[in-house]
Amino acid sequence: MSKKVLILSGSPRRGGNSDTLCDQFLKGASDAGHDVENYFISAHNIGFCSACYYCSSHDGICCKKDDMNALMPKILDADVLVFASPVYMYSVSAQLKAVFDRMVAKYETIRDKELYYIMTAAEDEEHTMDTTLACMRGMADCIPGSKEMGVIYGKGVYKKGEILETPYMQQAYEMGKNIC
């Protein structure tokens, strides 16, 4: 059965290491017959949540008139969400965090998602991605019925393109291909 897959690429640079893994995940999922979109957040105008809670009294509609209004229906419609981010200061990128925070507008209706996490970092210590993964899992805790399906820890890559010669490329492809 074909699924709708939405990849939220939180990389600030197109073709960066985490974005490249998103492309591989997309290729695998597409090869498996799924309907896949790689949403490169940095190419869109998505502002931060201002905690005004306008959404709580307006049926989940945010007062901000930006690209999140087009992204939210895609999030709601997806069967599978992929959260992808480079690791900066042991957390997710600002781009992905802005999307997470803006998802509060529809938090009562976002549910039953299969979740995959892709992270890349220059550092390759064992603990490098612990707090980043905790941030992604924290978002998952806000999605009733969500299931964690896989994680890629792309460690030891810093410069753009370093990911290309690593086993993480095949891992991302296989993870996408194995969506069932």
Side-chain angles (χ1 to χ4, degrees), residues 78-171:
D79 302 303
V80 176
L81 293 174
V82 180
F83 301 150
S85 179
V87 175
Y88 298 137
M89 307 306 289
Y90 300 105
S91 190
V92 296
S93 67
Q95 292 82 354
L96 185 59
K97 184 65 166 87
V99 170
F100 284 179
D101 289 349
R102 292 287 298 282
M103 287 168 70
V104 72
K106 292 283 189 179
Y107 82 95
E108 292 181 329
T109 56
I110 303 170
R111 49 189 0 96
D112 303 320
K113 306 296 182 190
E114 294 177 7
L115 301 174
Y116 293 86
Y117 311 131
I118 296 173
M119 300 170 290
T120 59
E123 195 174 312
D124 63 357
E125 299 295 321
E126 185 176 329
H127 71 281
T128 296
M129 298 178 174
D130 291 354
T131 53
T132 306
L133 183 58
C135 182
M136 291 180 178
R137 286 178 171 159
M139 184 63 231
D141 287 345
C142 298
I143 303 173
S146 67
K147 292 183 273 184
E148 183 176 310
M149 305 302 288
V151 181
I152 294 177
Y153 302 91
K155 296 180 181 181
V157 293
Y158 175 63
K159 293 180 182 165
K160 188 175 181 178
E162 284 184 337
I163 200 77
L164 296 171
E165 302 302 322
T166 70
Y168 306 125
M169 295 289 286
Q170 188 63 29
Q171 286 177 10

